[in-house]
Amino acid sequence: MCGIAGIISPFDRQRDLEQMLELQKHRGPDNTGKFHDIGFAYLGHNRLSIIDLNDASNQPFSVNSGRYQLSFNGEIYNYLELREELKPFYEFKTESDTEVLIAAYIKFGQNCLDKLNGMFSFAIWDTKEKSLFAARDRFGVKPFYYSKNAEEFFYASEIKSITGILRNNEPSLKVWANYFAYGSYGLPSETFYQHIFQLPAGHFLSFKNGELKIQQWYDFVENVQKVKVYDNIEEAKAKYLSLLKDSISLRFRADVEVGFNISGGVDSSLLLALVNQYQEKERISAYTFYSDDERYDELPWVKKMISQTGNPLSKIRLDVNEVEELSRTISIIQDEPFGGFPTIAYSKIFLQARQDNVLVLLDGQGMDEQWAGYDYYRGGDHSNNIQGQRRDFSPFKINCLSKELMKFAEKPNYPKPFGNQLQNLQYRDLFYTKIPRALRFNDRISMAASTELREPFLDYRLVEFAFAQSENFKIKGSVNKYLLRELVKELVPLGISYAPKRPLQTPQREWLGDELSGWVEAQLNRIAESQYANWFDVDELQNEWLKYKEGERHSSFHIWQWVNASFLLHQ
């Protein structure tokens, strides 16, 4: 897990590359590497050493011939199997997945992407053709941002690395308007900045002679249609469990200590049960957060599960007095709006893990989208309700936005490539709403602590399999994630597998309106006095805040939006 950065330019950009790498050094504190093809390209890398800790695996990585230079962020989990396949064609000099990746590219070209099981964004510079090839993994676990002008192309793992040298952080009015009006965090190619874009998940790009080409390499819909649909639930459970076990086994490939994050839900319960099959329990540390508020804390559920397995458990508490400082810090880390207090609490886990020298953590992201875990999947959400809130009120306060800003708002209209409403909702959440934003939040906070986060439930084989199965396996009556719950109940304590989903994890709603109300008011005043005040109807904003303080608290999302914006728009 690392950071990548580069500049394709005819000008001298060596100092700019160094600045880019310094701005994202937290992503890879173990080594900073640079490659210069003077007059053409400047590639850089921040290394966090996870597989093959030897210096010979530092990057940018040069192949034996010297023609190709690779800067790679992520992990190729099936690198050992690929290495065996490639041995007849390539003489390996390291034990790294990095060298396996470049060898696969040399042998298969862009088709190597289909062979990779992993999370990755990488860039390969061809010193002979003077061309760049870059790609991003199937679901966009690892980031790839870029900006282009008439003669140059810039890319990096974090937005700040690009804005820091271009001195241009002009906001995208469309993305900000859609965020406030509809809760959207942008389409797959967008960011909250006008001149900075992201390579969409499952896409690659090429850049040569000033020309940028972007192409999709992973067709999720086509792959789902190839998956066998089971009639017998027991057979489906057995097949899915075998894929699960293999996915988790692959993600234990590391030359550093591996731990995992746990909540009290079904997904974490399954993760807990399975990770203990690969190492002795006393060696696998578990981490969870809590806030000392029994209305939201999942600690009792976590303790119940851990009592069965005996894993060492670190309990990390979020205190209300920490929120102000951490909100500012994480706003800088994220570069874009993030998910509020749960993200803040989650960030503390990675800091603790780093102190414990646990450099790799696993978590349970992705099951709700695979197996239809959200309540609105049962009713068929036709409203593009991104936040998944109750539909008898809106968490978005359009009345607080100015007519000038609303001119840029376009209600997102997501593709519906499947023939039924459920799969289309799952598809929306996987590629456009829930998963993209969660992956971005979590990548930033994990890498800020120089730790690696792995997502075993986002193995593409699992996602494709679950998506393909019939609705009867996903929802049965009032029960979501039916097949998964049936599978989990054989592995975890009684009562966990059918525990209700608890969407709220912190007392954000109460803290914002009570203990932190003075702080909130200060941030609202910052907005009113800023150059972005014309985005809002400030009187309406204050009226909504007054109603919130007086008890109208169906949702705290709009309050957090304004607080978070007050930091981002003043950077």
Side-chain angles (χ1 to χ4, degrees):
M1 188 73 69
C2 308
I4 63 174
I7 306 171
I8 312 304
S9 172
F11 309 116
D12 184 357
R13 287 287 196 172
Q14 295 188 47
R15 291 178 64 88
D16 290 320
L17 177 67
E18 291 170 1
Q19 183 177 343
M20 293 175 77
L21 294 170
E22 183 63 29
L23 287 168
Q24 60 181 36
K25 189 174 181 178
H26 48 274
R27 299 187 71 92
D30 296 329
N31 184 72
T32 299
K34 298 179 289 291
F35 169 81
H36 303 151
D37 191 348
I38 303 299
F40 292 98
Y42 305 85
L43 275 66
H45 188 263
N46 307 100
R47 185 181 183 196
L48 176 63
S49 302
I50 299 295
I51 292 176
D52 187 359
L53 309 185
N54 195 291
D55 288 347
S57 294
N58 288 341
Q59 300 179 47
F61 189 91
S62 177
V63 296
N64 298 337
S65 68
R67 175 175 175 177
Y68 299 104
Q69 297 284 335
L70 167 66
S71 187
F72 162 47
N73 170 28
E75 304 290 352
I76 308 302
Y77 299 123
N78 63 333
Y79 76 101
L80 294 178
E81 291 78 7
L82 282 175
R83 182 187 175 95
E84 288 301 310
E85 182 180 349
L86 292 164
K87 273 184 176 179
F89 312 101
Y90 182 92
E91 183 180 349
F92 288 93
K93 60 186 179 183
T94 74
E95 300 297 321
S96 67
D97 60 335
T98 301
E99 190 171 18
V100 170
L101 174 56
I102 193 64
Y105 178 76
I106 292 170
K107 173 63 178 173
F108 302 110
Q110 68 188 43
N111 293 328
C112 74
L113 298 168
D114 295 316
K115 292 181 170 289
L116 306 179
N117 185 340
M119 54 178 184
F120 53 84
S121 67
F122 65 83
I124 296 174
W125 177 251
D126 185 335
T127 62
K128 179 180 178 182
E129 295 293 328
K130 305 303 181 186
S131 63
L132 182 77
F133 177 84
R136 196 173 179 204
D137 64 66
R138 293 170 178 84
F139 303 122
V141 180
K142 304 313 298 175
F144 189 99
Y145 294 105
Y146 69 90
S147 185
K148 180 184 179 299
N149 60 34
E151 298 180 272
E152 299 175 294
F153 182 79
F154 306 82
Y155 68 86
S157 294
E158 296 193 7
I159 290 172
K160 64 175 62 66
S161 294
I162 301 176
T163 58
I165 63 165
L166 295 185
R167 309 290 190 268
N168 187 343
N169 61 354
E170 187 175 346
S172 168
L173 293 176
K174 175 197 167 187
V175 176
W176 276 103
N178 286 349
Y179 171 64
F180 288 124
Y182 307 116
S184 168
Y185 286 77
L187 294 176
S189 62
E190 295 176 329
T191 74
F192 281 76
Y193 299 83
Q194 184 174 334
H195 301 291
I196 297 178
F197 306 92
Q198 57 178 330
L199 181 63
H203 284 63
F204 67 79
L205 65 79
S206 61
F207 186 81
K208 183 178 181 180
N209 296 329
E211 184 178 3
L212 174 65
K213 295 180 180 179
I214 297 176
Q215 184 176 328
Q216 182 179 13
W217 68 268
Y218 176 56
D219 190 328
F220 177 74
V221 177
E222 180 181 289
N223 279 273
V224 168
Q225 291 169 346
K226 296 176 183 177
V227 174
K228 178 180 178 180
V229 179
Y230 286 78
D231 295 322
N232 184 294
I233 193 170
E234 294 303 319
E235 293 179 0
K237 280 168 54 181
K239 175 62 176 177
Y240 189 71
L241 183 59
S242 69
L243 291 173
L244 268 173
K245 289 180 176 180
D246 187 58
S247 173
I248 292 175
S249 176
L250 287 176
R251 283 156 181 81
F252 265 99
R253 289 179 171 175
D255 294 325
V256 296
E257 191 170 345
V258 179
F260 65 101
N261 302 327
I262 186 171
S263 64
V266 175
D267 309 342
S268 285
S269 307
L270 179 60
L271 182 62
L272 170 67
L274 294 178
V275 296
N276 283 296
Q277 297 185 15
Y278 297 101
Q279 294 188 35
E280 296 181 9
K281 296 182 181 66
E282 61 270 15
R283 292 190 57 203
I284 312 174
S285 299
Y287 294 83
T288 194
F289 70 76
Y290 70 105
S291 63
D292 247 0
D293 190 319
E294 62 184 15
R295 293 170 296 180
Y296 302 103
D297 283 345
E298 299 185 313
L299 203 52
W301 299 83
V302 171
K303 289 180 177 178
K304 184 175 182 180
M305 292 187 296
I306 289 292
S307 67
Q308 176 175 291
T309 63
N311 294 84
L313 176 64
S314 294
K315 304 178 289 292
I316 292 92
R317 181 181 177 221
L318 176 66
D319 188 271
V320 66
N321 296 322
E322 301 174 290
V323 169
E324 295 184 26
E325 181 179 352
L326 287 174
S327 294
R328 294 186 185 91
T329 300
I330 296 175
S331 291
I332 294 171
I333 289 168
Q334 291 283 337
D335 289 319
E336 301 178 284
F338 68 95
F341 292 8
T343 303
I344 293 172
Y346 200 30
S347 72
K348 296 188 65 179
I349 283 180
F350 298 101
L351 292 170
Q352 183 61 55
R354 181 72 192 189
Q355 290 181 19
D356 298 342
N357 206 34
V358 178
L359 301 188
V360 174
L361 290 171
L362 280 60
D363 81 1
Q365 188 72 52
M367 282 301 197
D368 286 313
E369 294 74 20
Q370 285 179 51
W371 290 107
Y374 300 111
D375 289 345
Y376 59 79
Y377 286 134
R378 291 202 302 273
D381 182 357
H382 300 278
S383 65
N384 280 347
N385 183 3
I386 297 168
Q387 296 297 318
Q389 300 277 354
R390 281 171 37 194
R391 280 171 280 172
D392 56 350
F393 75 95
S394 174
F396 318 120
K397 303 302 177 183
I398 294 179
N399 59 306
C400 296
L401 303 179
S402 69
K403 292 179 181 179
E404 288 76 13
L405 186 65
M406 282 301 296
K407 290 177 183 177
F408 297 94
E410 300 175 12
K411 189 169 185 178
N413 186 20
Y414 303 109
K416 297 180 179 180
F418 293 96
N420 62 85
Q421 179 69 4
L422 178 59
Q423 283 184 311
N424 285 330
L425 284 173
Q426 292 178 274
Y427 182 80
R428 178 198 72 180
D429 289 350
L430 180 64
F431 286 101
Y432 289 88
T433 58
K434 289 186 175 292
I435 289 297
R437 76 185 188 220
L439 291 177
R440 193 252 292 170
F441 300 164
N442 295 345
D443 172 80
R444 300 305 179 278
I445 57 175
S446 61
M447 294 310 299
S450 303
T451 57
E452 174 170 298
L453 178 62
R454 298 181 174 183
E455 311 280 7
F457 296 160
L458 282 178
D459 187 306
Y460 71 95
R461 299 169 300 169
L462 296 174
V463 182
E464 291 172 1
F465 179 90
F467 254 73
Q469 303 312 307
S470 70
E471 184 170 335
N472 294 332
F473 287 0
K474 299 172 185 176
I475 300 173
K476 187 170 184 179
S478 62
V479 177
N480 293 66
K481 294 195 288 195
Y482 176 68
L483 180 145
L484 196 66
R485 292 181 189 276
E486 288 293 295
L487 190 157
V488 170
K489 74 179 184 181
E490 301 169 6
L491 302 170
V492 303
L494 187 66
I496 294 290
S497 62
Y498 274 83
K501 187 171 183 62
R502 296 173 294 283
L504 301 177
Q505 302 166 294
T506 66
Q508 172 175 303
R509 186 180 300 173
E510 290 78 13
W511 285 358
L512 285 173
D514 298 325
E515 292 96 327
L516 297 173
S517 62
W519 174 66
V520 172
E521 288 183 5
Q523 307 322 309
L524 298 185
N525 289 335
R526 288 183 79 200
I527 289 177
E529 296 167 1
S530 75
Q531 62 178 310
Y532 301 103
N534 62 350
W535 287 10
F536 302 94
D537 183 325
V538 175
D539 290 337
E540 278 294 302
L541 189 149
Q542 289 293 343
N543 287 337
E544 289 292 345
W545 168 234
L546 181 61
K547 288 191 288 186
Y548 187 87
K549 284 197 298 181
E550 291 177 346
E552 191 174 297
R553 300 181 182 179
H554 300 298
S555 168
S556 62
F557 182 68
H558 59 295
I559 306 296
W560 172 252
Q561 281 184 313
W562 301 332
V563 169
N564 196 188
S566 75
F567 296 123
L568 290 166
L569 296 173
H570 283 79
Q571 288 185 25

